[in-house]
């Protein structure tokens, strides 16, 4: 079992970096909500011109795909998929999430959509990488 930590050390590190990014998004959203005196439990108006909305949506978007990422990472690790490909795919997802978050904060809608698509490519690549271990 200890060998898995050595073999997949890059993928495990990337997982920690993505967790850090996710935490950062939560902190930014909470700070923005606090300074805008938003009452907890009240809906946020859907308005891409409003940074409060964009900050909470950036976090929510990552929240919507993080479970898929974790399951695919576990699938790849437990399937003993090629470590370099799993690390590349995981890194692609992580870079795409960072770009998506940044573009969401800056309200760059086309760039945000492209980053979202890149994240999907990363997830699909993780799936394919995991499946190759079964062939």
């Amino acid at each position: 079992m200890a060998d898995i930590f050595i073999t997949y050390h890059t993928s495990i590190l990337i997982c920690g970096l993505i967790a850090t990014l996710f935490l950062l998004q939560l902190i930014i959203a909470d700070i923005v909500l606090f300074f805008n005196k938003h009452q907890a439990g009240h809906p946020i108006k859907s308005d891409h011109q409003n940074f409060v909305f964009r900050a909470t949506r950036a976090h929510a978007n990552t929240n919507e795909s993080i479970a898929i990422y974790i399951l695919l990472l576990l699938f790849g690790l437990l399937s003993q998929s090629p470590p370099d490909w799993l690390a590349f795919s995981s890194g692609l997802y992580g870079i795409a999430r960072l770009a998506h978050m940044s573009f969401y904060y800056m309200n760059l809608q086309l760039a945000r959509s492209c980053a979202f698509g890149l994240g999907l490519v990363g997830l699909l690549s993780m799936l394919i990488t995991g499946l190759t271990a079964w062939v």
Side-chain angles (χ1 to χ4, degrees), residues 4 20-21 33 36 50 89 96-97 105 111 117-118 122:
I4 199 167
T20 304
L21 175 68
L33 289 168
N36 281 274
N50 182 352
S89 302
R97 292 312 314 163
Y105 290 160
L118 190 62

Side-chain angles (χ1 to χ4, degrees), residues 1-16:
M1 184 66 171
D3 289 342
I4 199 167
F5 297 115
I6 295 168
T7 305
Y8 295 101
H9 69 280
T10 304
S11 294
I12 294 167
L13 173 63
I14 292 168
C15 184

Side-chain angles (χ1 to χ4, degrees), residues 5 8 34 37 45 47 65 79 92 135:
F5 297 115
Y8 295 101
F34 176 78
K37 297 178 173 60
K45 183 181 173 196
D47 178 9
S65 66
S79 298
L92 182 62
V135 177

Side-chain angles (χ1 to χ4, degrees), residues 75-76 81-83 85-86 89 124-134:
F75 176 58
S81 62
W85 278 105
L86 186 61
S89 302
L124 287 172
S125 180
M126 289 175 75
L127 174 62
I128 293 167
T129 300
L131 290 173
T132 61
W134 293 91

Side-chain angles (χ1 to χ4, degrees), residues 79-133:
S79 298
Q80 297 180 342
S81 62
D84 292 339
W85 278 105
L86 186 61
F88 173 79
S89 302
S90 184
L92 182 62
Y93 171 79
I95 289 168
R97 292 312 314 163
L98 175 63
H100 183 268
M101 174 191 82
S102 301
F103 294 144
Y104 220 135
Y105 290 160
M106 294 183 280
N107 201 21
L108 300 173
Q109 295 174 4
L110 181 59
R112 180 186 79 219
S113 295
C114 291
F116 180 81
L118 190 62
L120 286 178
V121 169
L123 292 174
L124 287 172
S125 180
M126 289 175 75
L127 174 62
I128 293 167
T129 300
L131 290 173
T132 61

